[in-house]
Amino acid sequence: MMIQPLFALVFLEVVVILTLIFRTPLRKPVLMALDKSKQGRGPVIVKSAGGTLFVVLVSILFNVTLMQNRATDSGTVNPTDQVLLANNLLEASLLGFTLFLALVIDRLHYYIKELRLLRKTLEGEKKTNQSRD
């Protein structure tokens, strides 16, 4: 159900992280897209989507604990419950990875912007020091 889109989302986030880490021709457009997403209504949309994913993650984890408690209470494990438990655990782990990688992308974008600003400031200081000498 939800597993294929989550795998695609995780792989997409990994690709974005790799393009941000290494200097590739795609780095500048990705940074521009991230800059655009942080303007206007972008932060509200991202926070609401992240909050929704977090609520779904908590719901899945709650269902997993209910299944585990039912298995320990009855003493036997139902094969159907085993399959459902494995599916829910996979979905929960993929959602957790998705949220974590989104946080990594956000921090990488912030640090790249700060580094660019520091380099511009440093170059300006070097030019002013060279003009004084």
Side-chain angles (χ1 to χ4, degrees):
M1 262 191 287
M2 217 167 71
I3 293 174
Q4 287 87 4
L6 285 174
F7 267 117
L9 185 59
V10 167
F11 287 131
L12 177 73
E13 287 179 331
V14 168
V15 167
V16 169
I17 289 172
L18 289 175
T19 56
L20 288 176
I21 290 175
F22 300 111
R23 290 191 185 266
T24 61
L26 292 175
R27 186 179 191 184
K28 193 170 183 177
V30 168
L31 284 172
M32 288 173 41
L34 287 172
D35 285 336
K36 288 278 188 185
S37 72
K38 291 189 177 187
Q39 295 174 354
R41 294 184 189 166
V44 174
I45 294 170
V46 169
K47 286 178 185 178
S48 63
T52 303
L53 287 178
F54 183 74
V55 168
V56 170
L57 174 67
V58 170
S59 171
I60 291 173
L61 291 176
F62 183 72
N63 287 337
V64 166
T65 57
L66 285 179
M67 277 191 238
Q68 285 179 340
N69 289 340
R70 188 172 55 218
T72 56
D73 289 343
S74 67
T76 60
V77 179
N78 188 358
T80 305
D81 283 345
Q82 282 182 338
V83 171
L84 289 174
L85 184 66
N87 190 19
N88 284 342
L89 282 175
L90 180 60
E91 285 180 358
S93 63
L94 286 173
L95 271 173
F97 292 149
T98 298
L99 292 172
F100 174 73
L101 291 175
L103 181 68
V104 169
I105 289 171
D106 180 55
R107 292 291 88 199
L108 272 173
H109 178 245
Y110 174 77
Y111 290 133
I112 288 171
K113 280 177 59 177
E114 285 294 316
L115 183 64
R116 187 182 299 162
L117 181 67
L118 281 172
R119 283 183 180 162
K120 285 182 181 178
T121 306
L122 185 63
E123 287 175 9
E125 290 294 323
K126 281 183 181 179
K127 287 179 182 179
T128 57
N129 284 342
Q130 286 175 356
S131 66
R132 287 182 186 170
D133 293 339

